[in-house]
Amino acid sequence: MADVRKEQEREELHRAIWAIADELRGSVDGWDFKSYVLGMMFYRYISENLADYINEGEIEAGNEGFEYALLSDDEAEQARVDLVSTKGFFILPSELFANVRKKAASDENLNMTLETVFHHIEESAKGSESEDNFAGLFDDMDVNSNKLGTTVARRNANLVKLIEGVADMGLNNYKENAIDAFGDAYEYLMSMYASNAGKSGGEFFTPQEVSELLTRIAVAGKREVNKVYDPACGSGSLLLKAAKILGKENVRQGFYGQEINLTTYNLCRINMFLHDIDYDKFDIAHEDTLVSPQHWDDEPFEVIVSNPPYSIKWEGDDNPVLINDPRFSPAGVLAPKSKADLAFIMHSLSWLAANGTAAIVCFPGIMYRGGAEKKIRQYLVDNNFIDCIIQLPGNLFFGTSIATCIMVLKRSKADNRTLFIDASKEYIKITNNNKLTEENIGKIVDEFASREDIDYFARCVPYEEIAGNGYTLSVSSYVEQEDTRETIDIVKLNAEIEKIVAREQVLRDEIAKMIAEIEV
């Protein structure tokens, strides 16, 4: 039933986004449209989040029928300080999404109204502990840009359509949705516009089912952890999965992430707020993780989950400082400049707690390529840091059909064996993509926990075999593929051929006899 509900909510969300796109067709370029939809969704949800919080508190205190949206700004102002300290931000009743929407169609200065509202929301956190978490959250949504319309009237007309479209998204209580609405909206918008925007930078959204698998592996056997970290956090879907699976109250010191892309960095912070992760329980940074990591004072992390960009370029040995960086120096070599994959692996390992687990989606090439990558694999295997390699099916990710892998790292393993799981056939096909079901995920997670050898599916391999195999980590090198071809009984086949040949000879003799009779 959960899968059915997910698909229903997802379809409803996609229909709503498509309806907005249809309304704005020809008015706003697709790539810019993406930012406007996400920004307006955030404005709606942060408004509802605050109003619901206040309403619940007042009703519990005996103030039946209380409605924050109906309060005057002067009355609401009295609660500003308290709300900023508890929620991290404040919105006046007149500036709530629902109230701005009521006047939007008749507001000739709608663009200025929205700009003021966004400025006030960010300003409300100034000077408080939540200031960094709110700074620049609406930077991607320029309501005065020519991209939205060449005149103020056109811009405002498009803003009205945008507000109405987002208001029509029937997603009810955000936190109770079966889907990650923001992540799913982002994925859908990417799929709508990536092809004509010349998408670059290895930007691949992590499907929620892959997030589920990755996170369940990373938290296996744990009921609570100190911190969760994602060095390439994107929209924050993996961090939020950890909050959902463990319960956010069981992540004692909070959620940490770093993201180089400004849009997704803002999206991640937005997602934290929308899932009621308190502002003092998350720290998302905007920088290049490999050359400018922002969480030196926060590591080590007990859980690390990540889907870093595949085979992107980085400074590598062009930067003479990096070989002495304590994250990379233990391997004695840097990942190639043209392929940063193993730099992300080394970074994660360096910041992993002694009792921690890191689960990372990987490009398959790093499992077998030679050169510097082989030397880094050797370092990882010789020091017994690799706990498990999982081969995933192909075509799981939007933007690439590559059959990716999951590498699981641990600093404290029970033995020196590595588990290899071939999950390449664990999927169902939906339209053009493959998808992991609850059953597929359960089977992989159960095997990860039990570590039993299962023909054609999983095998625990001793260190000596991996070292003797040139430190190759491809699952196919250790887990035999099942031969599904039909078994042929040679003896039986030969007997049948002999019968056919004998029958053929009889027919030839009869034909020769008939020809002879005709000639006579």
Side-chain angles (χ1 to χ4, degrees):
M1 285 299 293
D3 282 341
V4 172
R5 186 180 159 210
K6 272 185 189 177
E7 287 309 313
Q8 287 173 341
E9 287 185 3
R10 196 169 280 145
E11 284 174 18
E12 185 174 347
L13 176 67
H14 292 179
R15 273 197 301 272
I17 292 173
W18 185 258
I20 302 171
D22 209 34
E23 277 287 320
L24 296 178
R25 192 180 301 280
S27 302
V28 183
D29 176 72
W31 206 239
D32 300 310
F33 171 75
K34 174 170 70 82
S35 299
Y36 286 113
V37 171
L38 294 170
M40 196 61 77
M41 280 178 71
F42 174 54
Y43 174 40
R44 172 190 162 178
Y45 280 111
I46 201 170
S47 295
E48 292 176 359
N49 179 284
L50 184 71
D52 289 348
Y53 174 79
I54 297 168
N55 292 343
E56 286 169 15
E58 288 292 325
I59 292 166
E60 280 177 18
N63 194 351
E64 283 295 324
F66 180 85
E67 188 64 59
Y68 180 68
L70 301 178
L71 224 58
S72 72
D73 285 355
D74 287 342
E75 289 175 294
E77 194 65 55
Q78 299 168 31
R80 178 186 288 269
V81 174
D82 183 50
L83 283 166
V84 170
S85 68
T86 53
K87 296 293 288 181
F89 68 99
F90 178 73
I91 305 176
L92 289 165
S94 68
E95 296 185 340
L96 292 170
F97 176 87
N99 285 335
V100 170
R101 179 197 178 194
K102 286 176 185 175
K103 300 177 181 177
S106 59
D107 186 352
E108 293 180 0
N109 298 305
L110 180 60
N111 59 324
M112 297 308 297
T113 299
L114 287 169
E115 184 175 58
T116 302
V117 170
F118 298 159
H119 177 69
H120 284 170
I121 294 172
E122 291 185 20
E123 280 288 311
S124 73
K126 280 275 177 72
S128 73
E129 290 180 35
S130 62
E131 180 176 346
D132 289 346
N133 289 331
F134 276 86
L137 268 178
F138 290 98
D139 280 358
D140 270 355
M141 195 178 172
D142 184 356
V143 291
N144 291 306
S145 170
N146 285 337
K147 292 176 178 177
L148 196 58
T150 52
T151 66
V152 171
R154 284 178 184 168
R155 287 199 279 277
N156 286 343
N158 285 332
L159 284 169
V160 170
K161 291 175 182 176
L162 189 61
I163 288 171
E164 289 301 322
V166 169
D168 287 342
M169 290 181 180
L171 294 168
N172 306 316
N173 188 322
Y174 186 89
K175 297 186 297 298
E176 291 177 6
N177 294 333
I179 61 171
D180 163 14
F182 252 72
D184 212 277
Y186 181 67
E187 179 182 25
Y188 184 61
L189 286 160
M190 287 283 288
S191 69
M192 286 169 71
Y193 296 114
S195 58
N196 63 2
K199 189 166 74 73
S200 61
E203 190 176 356
F204 299 120
F205 178 87
T206 310
Q208 287 157 46
E209 292 76 19
V210 178
S211 296
E212 177 88 15
L213 171 62
L214 201 70
T215 310
R216 280 174 62 180
I217 285 169
V219 303
K222 298 177 186 289
R223 291 189 176 177
E224 61 173 25
V225 299
N226 70 341
K227 306 167 192 168
V228 178
Y229 173 64
D230 184 347
C233 60
S235 64
S237 61
L238 289 168
L239 295 173
L240 291 167
K241 274 293 178 191
K244 192 167 186 178
I245 291 169
L246 285 170
K248 64 181 181 181
E249 68 282 357
N250 294 319
V251 182
R252 295 185 299 273
Q253 296 174 51
F255 303 85
Y256 297 78
Q258 188 161 337
E259 173 57 39
I260 196 170
N261 178 288
L262 178 63
T263 300
T264 40
Y265 159 67
N266 282 335
L267 191 56
C268 183
R269 293 189 295 161
I270 287 168
N271 235 343
M272 295 291 134
F273 290 120
L274 294 177
H275 284 81
D276 271 353
I277 308 293
D278 293 337
Y279 66 87
D280 58 348
K281 279 294 181 77
F282 72 87
D283 185 339
I284 309 300
H286 177 226
E287 261 293 356
D288 184 330
T289 302
L290 297 181
V291 298
S292 185
Q294 298 295 298
H295 294 106
W296 284 109
D297 296 334
D298 304 303
E299 58 96 7
F301 300 99
E302 198 173 336
V303 170
I304 297 178
V305 281
S306 192
N307 178 21
Y310 309 140
S311 299
I312 59 164
K313 294 176 182 177
W314 76 305
E315 292 181 13
D317 55 20
D318 278 350
N319 184 337
V321 174
L322 288 175
I323 192 61
N324 297 316
D325 188 307
R327 298 171 298 155
F328 309 125
S329 58
V333 64
L334 294 170
K337 288 186 296 236
S338 60
K339 302 174 182 71
D341 308 73
L342 280 164
F344 281 104
I345 298 287
M346 289 297 293
H347 167 80
S348 295
L349 175 66
S350 176
W351 285 13
L352 184 62
N355 65 334
T357 304
I360 303 161
V361 179
C362 301
F363 184 82
I366 69 166
M367 302 297 173
Y368 57 79
R369 289 191 296 235
E373 292 184 310
K374 180 180 178 181
K375 289 178 182 175
I376 296 172
R377 285 199 309 275
Q378 181 171 350
Y379 164 76
L380 296 171
V381 173
D382 284 349
N383 288 277
N384 201 28
F385 292 134
I386 298 183
D387 184 59
C388 179
I389 304 289
I390 302 168
Q391 176 63 60
L392 295 174
N395 219 24
L396 284 179
F397 293 77
F398 159 71
T400 178
S401 60
I402 296 164
T404 56
C405 309
I406 293 174
M407 181 183 286
V408 183
L409 301 172
K410 285 187 179 178
R411 285 194 164 274
S412 306
K413 286 171 58 180
D415 58 34
N416 70 347
R417 298 183 304 158
T418 297
L419 176 64
F420 289 86
I421 300 175
D422 183 359
S424 58
K425 295 180 177 63
E426 295 299 316
Y427 67 89
I428 59 168
K429 191 165 186 63
I430 295 182
T431 61
N432 295 326
N433 277 69
N434 295 331
K435 194 165 211 162
L436 297 169
T437 64
E438 284 288 334
E439 186 180 346
N440 298 140
I441 293 168
K443 181 178 177 181
I444 297 165
V445 172
D446 288 348
E447 171 55 31
F448 178 74
S450 70
R451 304 181 80 81
E452 293 178 7
D453 286 0
I454 299 175
D455 287 348
Y456 316 120
F457 181 61
R459 184 173 162 239
C460 262
V461 179
Y463 161 77
E464 294 78 12
E465 185 174 341
I466 298 172
N469 202 15
Y471 295 95
T472 291
L473 293 174
S474 297
V475 172
S476 58
S477 298
Y478 305 100
V479 179
E480 184 186 357
Q481 288 278 315
E482 184 175 8
D483 188 348
T484 56
R485 293 174 299 178
E486 185 182 353
T487 304
I488 297 171
D489 185 332
I490 297 297
V491 174
K492 184 179 178 184
L493 181 64
N494 283 337
E496 287 177 359
I497 290 171
E498 282 181 19
K499 286 181 184 177
I500 292 168
V501 170
R503 176 65 178 152
E504 187 181 48
Q505 190 56 50
V506 169
L507 289 171
R508 281 182 175 170
D509 290 345
E510 288 180 357
I511 290 167
K513 185 177 177 184
M514 288 168 65
I515 290 170
E517 288 175 355
I518 291 167
E519 286 176 344
V520 170

